[in-house]
């Protein structure tokens, strides 16, 4: 009996999650790539606020590690006609970048001569 109750509860939760994902996809606030979920509130914020809100939501600021993940981030940029912050920072070596945790980048997709260091990038 317990197994059936547990299976029913799991089935109901899966259904609710599926419905929520559907709504968020319609609102262009969620997309997936490579088993990862990318989401946005759609609100504009500075980098520190975005970083804080991502952590509070149980996630992290986006860090594209391959073309598919880059495309997932671009989906939001195009949908909301805005920029996106990435979890990347300049290392101690000028013009070299790393993830916020200090690990080296294995993937980039920047335009020629970018980042240029002009403005806040």
């Amino acid at each position: 009996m317990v197994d059936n109750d547990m299976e029913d509860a799991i089935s109901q939760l899966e259904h609710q999650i599926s419905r929520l994902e559907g709504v968020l996809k319609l609102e262009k606030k969620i997309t997936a790539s490579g088993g990862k979920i990318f989401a946005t509130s759609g609100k504009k914020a500075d980098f520190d606020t975005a970083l804080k809100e991502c952590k509070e939501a149980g996630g992290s600021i986006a860090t594209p590690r391959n073309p598919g993940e880059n495309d997932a981030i671009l989906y939001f940029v195009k949908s909301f006609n805005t920029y996106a912050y990435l979890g990347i920072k300049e290392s101690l070596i000028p013009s070299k970048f790393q993830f916020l945790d200090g690990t080296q980048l294995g993937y980039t997709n920047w335009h020629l001569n970018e980042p240029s260091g002009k403005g806040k990038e």
Side-chain angles (χ1 to χ4, degrees):
M1 185 71 167
V2 173
D3 285 342
N4 285 340
D5 289 343
M6 183 74 78
E7 286 178 20
D8 287 345
I10 290 170
S11 179
Q12 288 175 7
L13 286 172
E14 287 173 340
H15 179 71
Q16 288 175 337
I17 290 168
S18 176
R19 289 181 62 205
L20 288 171
E21 285 178 340
V23 168
L24 292 171
K25 284 178 183 176
L26 285 173
E27 293 180 0
K28 298 182 179 180
K29 292 188 176 184
I30 190 171
T31 190
S33 177
K36 293 182 182 177
I37 300 292
F38 293 83
T40 183
S41 66
K43 297 186 293 185
K44 291 187 184 249
D46 61 33
F47 180 80
D48 291 329
T49 301
L51 189 63
K52 179 180 165 235
E53 288 187 6
C54 287
K55 284 182 182 179
E56 286 175 356
S60 62
I61 202 156
T63 54
R65 297 178 187 266
N66 59 54
E69 292 178 8
N70 192 72
D71 288 346
I73 296 164
L74 280 175
Y75 167 79
F76 295 125
V77 170
K78 291 175 182 176
S79 294
F80 291 93
N81 191 29
T82 190
Y83 55 85
Y85 292 115
L86 302 177
I88 296 171
K89 66 180 180 178
E90 193 167 12
S91 72
L92 296 175
I93 302 166
S95 300
K96 296 289 181 185
F97 292 81
Q98 60 192 20
F99 292 110
L100 295 179
D101 66 6
T103 58
Q104 296 302 309
L105 301 181
Y107 167 81
T108 61
N109 187 31
W110 291 319
H111 289 289
L112 185 62
N113 299 319
E114 293 292 345
S116 64
K118 295 178 182 168
K120 243 184 167 181
E121 293 188 297

mmCIF file of all heavy atoms in Angstrom, residues 71-110:
data_model
loop_
_atom_site.group_PDB
_atom_site.id
_atom_site.type_symbol
_atom_site.label_atom_id
_atom_site.label_comp_id
_atom_site.label_asym_id
_atom_site.label_seq_id
_atom_site.Cartn_x
_atom_site.Cartn_y
_atom_site.Cartn_z
ATOM 1 N N ASP A 71 23.807 28.507 -26.559
ATOM 2 C CA ASP A 71 22.542 28.751 -27.259
ATOM 3 C C ASP A 71 21.384 28.938 -26.273
ATOM 4 O O ASP A 71 20.483 29.741 -26.517
ATOM 5 C CB ASP A 71 22.222 27.609 -28.224
ATOM 6 C CG ASP A 71 23.123 27.606 -29.445
ATOM 7 O OD1 ASP A 71 23.813 28.617 -29.697
ATOM 8 O OD2 ASP A 71 23.149 26.569 -30.149
ATOM 9 N N ALA A 72 21.400 28.187 -25.167
ATOM 10 C CA ALA A 72 20.344 28.331 -24.161
ATOM 11 C C ALA A 72 20.362 29.736 -23.571
ATOM 12 O O ALA A 72 19.318 30.353 -23.367
ATOM 13 C CB ALA A 72 20.515 27.279 -23.061
ATOM 14 N N ILE A 73 21.545 30.272 -23.333
ATOM 15 C CA ILE A 73 21.666 31.630 -22.796
ATOM 16 C C ILE A 73 21.252 32.648 -23.854
ATOM 17 O O ILE A 73 20.543 33.610 -23.571
ATOM 18 C CB ILE A 73 23.099 31.874 -22.295
ATOM 19 C CG1 ILE A 73 23.405 30.924 -21.128
ATOM 20 C CG2 ILE A 73 23.288 33.327 -21.875
ATOM 21 C CD1 ILE A 73 24.867 30.783 -20.804
ATOM 22 N N LEU A 74 21.668 32.422 -25.092
ATOM 23 C CA LEU A 74 21.279 33.325 -26.186
ATOM 24 C C LEU A 74 19.768 33.363 -26.386
ATOM 25 O O LEU A 74 19.215 34.382 -26.805
ATOM 26 C CB LEU A 74 21.966 32.914 -27.486
ATOM 27 C CG LEU A 74 23.405 33.359 -27.650
ATOM 28 C CD1 LEU A 74 24.008 32.772 -28.924
ATOM 29 C CD2 LEU A 74 23.513 34.871 -27.666
ATOM 30 N N TYR A 75 19.100 32.267 -26.088
ATOM 31 C CA TYR A 75 17.642 32.206 -26.179
ATOM 32 C C TYR A 75 17.018 33.331 -25.339
ATOM 33 O O TYR A 75 16.110 34.033 -25.777
ATOM 34 C CB TYR A 75 17.159 30.833 -25.707
ATOM 35 C CG TYR A 75 15.680 30.723 -25.457
ATOM 36 C CD1 TYR A 75 14.787 30.573 -26.516
ATOM 37 C CD2 TYR A 75 15.171 30.758 -24.162
ATOM 38 C CE1 TYR A 75 13.427 30.463 -26.292
ATOM 39 C CE2 TYR A 75 13.817 30.651 -23.930
ATOM 40 C CZ TYR A 75 12.948 30.500 -24.994
ATOM 41 O OH TYR A 75 11.596 30.395 -24.774
ATOM 42 N N PHE A 76 17.537 33.519 -24.108
ATOM 43 C CA PHE A 76 17.015 34.583 -23.242
ATOM 44 C C PHE A 76 17.410 35.959 -23.749
ATOM 45 O O PHE A 76 16.611 36.885 -23.713
ATOM 46 C CB PHE A 76 17.501 34.405 -21.805
ATOM 47 C CG PHE A 76 16.980 33.165 -21.140
ATOM 48 C CD1 PHE A 76 17.841 32.245 -20.580
ATOM 49 C CD2 PHE A 76 15.622 32.922 -21.077
ATOM 50 C CE1 PHE A 76 17.363 31.100 -19.967
ATOM 51 C CE2 PHE A 76 15.126 31.774 -20.465
ATOM 52 C CZ PHE A 76 16.003 30.860 -19.908
ATOM 53 N N VAL A 77 18.631 36.085 -24.218
ATOM 54 C CA VAL A 77 19.104 37.369 -24.737
ATOM 55 C C VAL A 77 18.198 37.820 -25.883
ATOM 56 O O VAL A 77 17.763 38.969 -25.930
ATOM 57 C CB VAL A 77 20.570 37.274 -25.195
ATOM 58 C CG1 VAL A 77 21.008 38.510 -25.965
ATOM 59 C CG2 VAL A 77 21.489 37.040 -23.995
ATOM 60 N N LYS A 78 17.890 36.904 -26.771
ATOM 61 C CA LYS A 78 17.044 37.232 -27.918
ATOM 62 C C LYS A 78 15.583 37.414 -27.506
ATOM 63 O O LYS A 78 14.910 38.325 -27.990
ATOM 64 C CB LYS A 78 17.165 36.149 -28.982
ATOM 65 C CG LYS A 78 18.540 36.131 -29.644
ATOM 66 C CD LYS A 78 18.684 34.982 -30.615
ATOM 67 C CE LYS A 78 20.068 34.962 -31.230
ATOM 68 N NZ LYS A 78 20.273 33.807 -32.099
ATOM 69 N N SER A 79 15.078 36.562 -26.623
ATOM 70 C CA SER A 79 13.675 36.644 -26.206
ATOM 71 C C SER A 79 13.359 37.943 -25.485
ATOM 72 O O SER A 79 12.282 38.507 -25.647
ATOM 73 C CB SER A 79 13.317 35.471 -25.288
ATOM 74 O OG SER A 79 13.381 34.256 -25.999
ATOM 75 N N PHE A 80 14.301 38.406 -24.656
ATOM 76 C CA PHE A 80 14.066 39.603 -23.853
ATOM 77 C C PHE A 80 14.796 40.828 -24.402
ATOM 78 O O PHE A 80 14.751 41.893 -23.803
ATOM 79 C CB PHE A 80 14.468 39.360 -22.395
ATOM 80 C CG PHE A 80 13.545 38.396 -21.693
ATOM 81 C CD1 PHE A 80 13.829 37.043 -21.656
ATOM 82 C CD2 PHE A 80 12.382 38.850 -21.092
ATOM 83 C CE1 PHE A 80 12.974 36.152 -21.023
ATOM 84 C CE2 PHE A 80 11.525 37.973 -20.454
ATOM 85 C CZ PHE A 80 11.814 36.610 -20.428
ATOM 86 N N ASN A 81 15.478 40.659 -25.536
ATOM 87 C CA ASN A 81 16.210 41.745 -26.189
ATOM 88 C C ASN A 81 17.080 42.507 -25.180
ATOM 89 O O ASN A 81 16.947 43.713 -24.989
ATOM 90 C CB ASN A 81 15.240 42.703 -26.885
ATOM 91 C CG ASN A 81 15.968 43.674 -27.791
ATOM 92 O OD1 ASN A 81 17.030 43.361 -28.330
ATOM 93 N ND2 ASN A 81 15.414 44.863 -27.959
ATOM 94 N N THR A 82 17.947 41.758 -24.517
ATOM 95 C CA THR A 82 18.792 42.328 -23.478
ATOM 96 C C THR A 82 20.115 41.580 -23.429
ATOM 97 O O THR A 82 20.368 40.696 -24.239
ATOM 98 C CB THR A 82 18.063 42.275 -22.117
ATOM 99 O OG1 THR A 82 18.803 43.041 -21.165
ATOM 100 C CG2 THR A 82 17.898 40.853 -21.609
ATOM 101 N N TYR A 83 20.938 41.903 -22.486
ATOM 102 C CA TYR A 83 22.213 41.228 -22.278
ATOM 103 C C TYR A 83 22.027 40.149 -21.213
ATOM 104 O O TYR A 83 20.978 40.079 -20.567
ATOM 105 C CB TYR A 83 23.280 42.234 -21.832
ATOM 106 C CG TYR A 83 22.879 43.007 -20.605
ATOM 107 C CD1 TYR A 83 23.092 42.482 -19.326
ATOM 108 C CD2 TYR A 83 22.246 44.235 -20.713
ATOM 109 C CE1 TYR A 83 22.692 43.174 -18.205
ATOM 110 C CE2 TYR A 83 21.844 44.934 -19.587
ATOM 111 C CZ TYR A 83 22.066 44.392 -18.328
ATOM 112 O OH TYR A 83 21.668 45.067 -17.217
ATOM 113 N N ALA A 84 23.043 39.357 -21.015
ATOM 114 C CA ALA A 84 23.036 38.361 -19.941
ATOM 115 C C ALA A 84 24.390 38.380 -19.259
ATOM 116 O O ALA A 84 25.428 38.523 -19.921
ATOM 117 C CB ALA A 84 22.761 36.971 -20.502
ATOM 118 N N TYR A 85 24.377 38.266 -17.952
ATOM 119 C CA TYR A 85 25.630 38.117 -17.222
ATOM 120 C C TYR A 85 26.052 36.663 -17.272
ATOM 121 O O TYR A 85 25.216 35.765 -17.292
ATOM 122 C CB TYR A 85 25.453 38.524 -15.758
ATOM 123 C CG TYR A 85 25.209 39.985 -15.555
ATOM 124 C CD1 TYR A 85 24.005 40.442 -15.038
ATOM 125 C CD2 TYR A 85 26.187 40.921 -15.867
ATOM 126 C CE1 TYR A 85 23.779 41.792 -14.831
ATOM 127 C CE2 TYR A 85 25.972 42.277 -15.681
ATOM 128 C CZ TYR A 85 24.762 42.700 -15.154
ATOM 129 O OH TYR A 85 24.540 44.030 -14.959
ATOM 130 N N LEU A 86 27.348 36.441 -17.278
ATOM 131 C CA LEU A 86 27.899 35.093 -17.244
ATOM 132 C C LEU A 86 28.732 34.939 -15.986
ATOM 133 O O LEU A 86 29.287 35.910 -15.478
ATOM 134 C CB LEU A 86 28.770 34.835 -18.476
ATOM 135 C CG LEU A 86 28.085 34.998 -19.831
ATOM 136 C CD1 LEU A 86 29.090 34.792 -20.950
ATOM 137 C CD2 LEU A 86 26.920 34.025 -19.957
ATOM 138 N N GLY A 87 28.869 33.726 -15.515
ATOM 139 C CA GLY A 87 29.669 33.445 -14.329
ATOM 140 C C GLY A 87 31.140 33.343 -14.668
ATOM 141 O O GLY A 87 31.782 32.330 -14.402
ATOM 142 N N ILE A 88 31.657 34.397 -15.266
ATOM 143 C CA ILE A 88 33.040 34.440 -15.742
ATOM 144 C C ILE A 88 33.659 35.754 -15.277
ATOM 145 O O ILE A 88 32.989 36.779 -15.244
ATOM 146 C CB ILE A 88 33.081 34.347 -17.278
ATOM 147 C CG1 ILE A 88 32.526 32.999 -17.737
ATOM 148 C CG2 ILE A 88 34.485 34.568 -17.807
ATOM 149 C CD1 ILE A 88 32.321 32.900 -19.233
ATOM 150 N N LYS A 89 34.933 35.706 -14.935
ATOM 151 C CA LYS A 89 35.648 36.916 -14.532
ATOM 152 C C LYS A 89 37.045 36.905 -15.129
ATOM 153 O O LYS A 89 37.560 35.862 -15.531
ATOM 154 C CB LYS A 89 35.736 37.019 -13.010
ATOM 155 C CG LYS A 89 36.588 35.910 -12.383
ATOM 156 C CD LYS A 89 36.646 36.046 -10.896
ATOM 157 C CE LYS A 89 37.505 34.918 -10.297
ATOM 158 N NZ LYS A 89 37.635 35.035 -8.853
ATOM 159 N N GLU A 90 37.647 38.082 -15.167
ATOM 160 C CA GLU A 90 39.019 38.187 -15.653
ATOM 161 C C GLU A 90 39.941 37.626 -14.586
ATOM 162 O O GLU A 90 39.766 37.874 -13.395
ATOM 163 C CB GLU A 90 39.371 39.637 -15.976
ATOM 164 C CG GLU A 90 40.645 39.782 -16.762
ATOM 165 C CD GLU A 90 40.839 41.167 -17.360
ATOM 166 O OE1 GLU A 90 40.097 42.104 -16.981
ATOM 167 O OE2 GLU A 90 41.715 41.305 -18.212
ATOM 168 N N SER A 91 40.940 36.861 -15.008
ATOM 169 C CA SER A 91 41.893 36.297 -14.059
ATOM 170 C C SER A 91 42.949 37.342 -13.703
ATOM 171 O O SER A 91 42.886 38.483 -14.164
ATOM 172 C CB SER A 91 42.553 35.046 -14.647
ATOM 173 O OG SER A 91 43.457 35.411 -15.672
ATOM 174 N N LEU A 92 43.913 36.966 -12.915
ATOM 175 C CA LEU A 92 44.997 37.875 -12.559
ATOM 176 C C LEU A 92 45.856 38.212 -13.769
ATOM 177 O O LEU A 92 46.548 39.221 -13.788
ATOM 178 C CB LEU A 92 45.861 37.267 -11.448
ATOM 179 C CG LEU A 92 45.138 37.054 -10.115
ATOM 180 C CD1 LEU A 92 46.046 36.341 -9.122
ATOM 181 C CD2 LEU A 92 44.650 38.376 -9.545
ATOM 182 N N ILE A 93 45.803 37.362 -14.794
ATOM 183 C CA ILE A 93 46.520 37.612 -16.043
ATOM 184 C C ILE A 93 45.581 38.407 -16.944
ATOM 185 O O ILE A 93 44.513 37.917 -17.315
ATOM 186 C CB ILE A 93 46.930 36.296 -16.731
ATOM 187 C CG1 ILE A 93 47.800 35.461 -15.791
ATOM 188 C CG2 ILE A 93 47.626 36.566 -18.050
ATOM 189 C CD1 ILE A 93 47.982 34.018 -16.243
ATOM 190 N N PRO A 94 45.937 39.653 -17.284
ATOM 191 C CA PRO A 94 45.054 40.472 -18.122
ATOM 192 C C PRO A 94 44.656 39.759 -19.418
ATOM 193 O O PRO A 94 45.456 39.049 -20.028
ATOM 194 C CB PRO A 94 45.898 41.718 -18.410
ATOM 195 C CG PRO A 94 46.866 41.782 -17.285
ATOM 196 C CD PRO A 94 47.163 40.341 -16.928
ATOM 197 N N SER A 95 43.403 39.925 -19.802
ATOM 198 C CA SER A 95 42.819 39.347 -21.019
ATOM 199 C C SER A 95 42.626 37.839 -20.948
ATOM 200 O O SER A 95 42.282 37.215 -21.937
ATOM 201 C CB SER A 95 43.641 39.712 -22.255
ATOM 202 O OG SER A 95 43.692 41.118 -22.403
ATOM 203 N N LYS A 96 42.848 37.239 -19.785
ATOM 204 C CA LYS A 96 42.567 35.814 -19.579
ATOM 205 C C LYS A 96 41.386 35.722 -18.624
ATOM 206 O O LYS A 96 41.308 36.455 -17.643
ATOM 207 C CB LYS A 96 43.771 35.076 -18.982
ATOM 208 C CG LYS A 96 44.978 35.053 -19.888
ATOM 209 C CD LYS A 96 44.734 34.150 -21.068
ATOM 210 C CE LYS A 96 45.979 34.128 -21.949
ATOM 211 N NZ LYS A 96 45.799 33.378 -23.145
ATOM 212 N N PHE A 97 40.471 34.815 -18.907
ATOM 213 C CA PHE A 97 39.249 34.723 -18.119
ATOM 214 C C PHE A 97 39.100 33.347 -17.498
ATOM 215 O O PHE A 97 39.681 32.368 -17.973
ATOM 216 C CB PHE A 97 38.045 35.067 -18.994
ATOM 217 C CG PHE A 97 38.037 36.516 -19.383
ATOM 218 C CD1 PHE A 97 38.816 36.979 -20.444
ATOM 219 C CD2 PHE A 97 37.292 37.426 -18.671
ATOM 220 C CE1 PHE A 97 38.844 38.319 -20.780
ATOM 221 C CE2 PHE A 97 37.307 38.767 -19.000
ATOM 222 C CZ PHE A 97 38.089 39.216 -20.049
ATOM 223 N N GLN A 98 38.308 33.300 -16.433
ATOM 224 C CA GLN A 98 38.067 32.054 -15.712
ATOM 225 C C GLN A 98 36.655 32.074 -15.135
ATOM 226 O O GLN A 98 36.006 33.117 -15.096
ATOM 227 C CB GLN A 98 39.089 31.887 -14.594
ATOM 228 C CG GLN A 98 39.042 33.005 -13.563
ATOM 229 C CD GLN A 98 40.232 32.991 -12.615
ATOM 230 O OE1 GLN A 98 41.267 32.418 -12.906
ATOM 231 N NE2 GLN A 98 40.072 33.641 -11.475
ATOM 232 N N PHE A 99 36.196 30.911 -14.692
ATOM 233 C CA PHE A 99 34.904 30.850 -14.020
ATOM 234 C C PHE A 99 35.032 31.520 -12.662
ATOM 235 O O PHE A 99 36.138 31.703 -12.148
ATOM 236 C CB PHE A 99 34.434 29.397 -13.879
ATOM 237 C CG PHE A 99 34.089 28.757 -15.198
ATOM 238 C CD1 PHE A 99 34.878 27.762 -15.725
ATOM 239 C CD2 PHE A 99 32.970 29.164 -15.905
ATOM 240 C CE1 PHE A 99 34.571 27.179 -16.947
ATOM 241 C CE2 PHE A 99 32.645 28.593 -17.128
ATOM 242 C CZ PHE A 99 33.457 27.595 -17.647
ATOM 243 N N LEU A 100 33.913 31.888 -12.060
ATOM 244 C CA LEU A 100 33.933 32.592 -10.784
ATOM 245 C C LEU A 100 34.638 31.795 -9.684
ATOM 246 O O LEU A 100 35.205 32.376 -8.766
ATOM 247 C CB LEU A 100 32.506 32.949 -10.333
ATOM 248 C CG LEU A 100 31.757 33.935 -11.230
ATOM 249 C CD1 LEU A 100 30.358 34.184 -10.688
ATOM 250 C CD2 LEU A 100 32.523 35.234 -11.389
ATOM 251 N N ASP A 101 34.622 30.465 -9.802
ATOM 252 C CA ASP A 101 35.293 29.646 -8.793
ATOM 253 C C ASP A 101 36.798 29.513 -9.043
ATOM 254 O O ASP A 101 37.502 28.837 -8.312
ATOM 255 C CB ASP A 101 34.649 28.262 -8.695
ATOM 256 C CG ASP A 101 34.821 27.419 -9.957
ATOM 257 O OD1 ASP A 101 35.533 27.830 -10.895
ATOM 258 O OD2 ASP A 101 34.230 26.322 -10.005
ATOM 259 N N GLY A 102 37.296 30.173 -10.109
ATOM 260 C CA GLY A 102 38.724 30.172 -10.392
ATOM 261 C C GLY A 102 39.178 29.140 -11.405
ATOM 262 O O GLY A 102 40.335 29.164 -11.836
ATOM 263 N N THR A 103 38.298 28.213 -11.804
ATOM 264 C CA THR A 103 38.702 27.220 -12.794
ATOM 265 C C THR A 103 38.783 27.860 -14.178
ATOM 266 O O THR A 103 38.101 28.843 -14.467
ATOM 267 C CB THR A 103 37.738 26.007 -12.835
ATOM 268 O OG1 THR A 103 36.418 26.468 -13.111
ATOM 269 C CG2 THR A 103 37.753 25.253 -11.518
ATOM 270 N N GLN A 104 39.640 27.305 -15.008
ATOM 271 C CA GLN A 104 39.886 27.857 -16.334
ATOM 272 C C GLN A 104 38.733 27.551 -17.287
ATOM 273 O O GLN A 104 38.076 26.518 -17.183
ATOM 274 C CB GLN A 104 41.189 27.284 -16.912
ATOM 275 C CG GLN A 104 42.415 27.685 -16.108
ATOM 276 C CD GLN A 104 42.577 29.196 -16.016
ATOM 277 O OE1 GLN A 104 42.541 29.903 -17.009
ATOM 278 N NE2 GLN A 104 42.733 29.692 -14.798
ATOM 279 N N LEU A 105 38.520 28.443 -18.228
ATOM 280 C CA LEU A 105 37.497 28.246 -19.254
ATOM 281 C C LEU A 105 37.966 27.182 -20.240
ATOM 282 O O LEU A 105 39.121 27.174 -20.641
ATOM 283 C CB LEU A 105 37.248 29.544 -20.029
ATOM 284 C CG LEU A 105 36.787 30.763 -19.254
ATOM 285 C CD1 LEU A 105 36.572 31.932 -20.208
ATOM 286 C CD2 LEU A 105 35.522 30.472 -18.498
ATOM 287 N N GLY A 106 37.044 26.334 -20.619
ATOM 288 C CA GLY A 106 37.342 25.346 -21.641
ATOM 289 C C GLY A 106 36.591 25.644 -22.931
ATOM 290 O O GLY A 106 36.796 24.992 -23.946
ATOM 291 N N TYR A 107 35.700 26.621 -22.858
ATOM 292 C CA TYR A 107 34.867 26.972 -24.011
ATOM 293 C C TYR A 107 34.604 28.471 -23.984
ATOM 294 O O TYR A 107 34.285 29.030 -22.931
ATOM 295 C CB TYR A 107 33.523 26.228 -23.951
ATOM 296 C CG TYR A 107 32.501 26.759 -24.930
ATOM 297 C CD1 TYR A 107 32.534 26.378 -26.266
ATOM 298 C CD2 TYR A 107 31.533 27.671 -24.531
ATOM 299 C CE1 TYR A 107 31.610 26.890 -27.174
ATOM 300 C CE2 TYR A 107 30.607 28.189 -25.424
ATOM 301 C CZ TYR A 107 30.652 27.789 -26.742
ATOM 302 O OH TYR A 107 29.744 28.294 -27.635
ATOM 303 N N THR A 108 34.771 29.113 -25.123
ATOM 304 C CA THR A 108 34.361 30.505 -25.298
ATOM 305 C C THR A 108 33.779 30.651 -26.699
ATOM 306 O O THR A 108 34.064 29.841 -27.580
ATOM 307 C CB THR A 108 35.526 31.514 -25.135
ATOM 308 O OG1 THR A 108 36.512 31.240 -26.122
ATOM 309 C CG2 THR A 108 36.131 31.440 -23.745
ATOM 310 N N ASN A 109 32.973 31.671 -26.868
ATOM 311 C CA ASN A 109 32.372 31.940 -28.165
ATOM 312 C C ASN A 109 32.245 33.445 -28.354
ATOM 313 O O ASN A 109 31.183 33.962 -28.653
ATOM 314 C CB ASN A 109 30.988 31.268 -28.261
ATOM 315 C CG ASN A 109 30.408 31.378 -29.645
ATOM 316 O OD1 ASN A 109 31.123 31.414 -30.637
ATOM 317 N ND2 ASN A 109 29.094 31.449 -29.725
ATOM 318 N N TRP A 110 33.345 34.148 -28.127
ATOM 319 C CA TRP A 110 33.332 35.596 -28.229
ATOM 320 C C TRP A 110 33.619 36.042 -29.645
ATOM 321 O O TRP A 110 34.287 35.355 -30.410
ATOM 322 C CB TRP A 110 34.380 36.202 -27.300
ATOM 323 C CG TRP A 110 34.039 36.031 -25.849
ATOM 324 C CD1 TRP A 110 32.817 36.161 -25.271
ATOM 325 C CD2 TRP A 110 34.937 35.689 -24.787
ATOM 326 N NE1 TRP A 110 32.896 35.943 -23.924
ATOM 327 C CE2 TRP A 110 34.182 35.654 -23.596
ATOM 328 C CE3 TRP A 110 36.290 35.429 -24.723
ATOM 329 C CZ2 TRP A 110 34.749 35.371 -22.368
ATOM 330 C CZ3 TRP A 110 36.850 35.143 -23.488
ATOM 331 C CH2 TRP A 110 36.080 35.114 -22.330
#
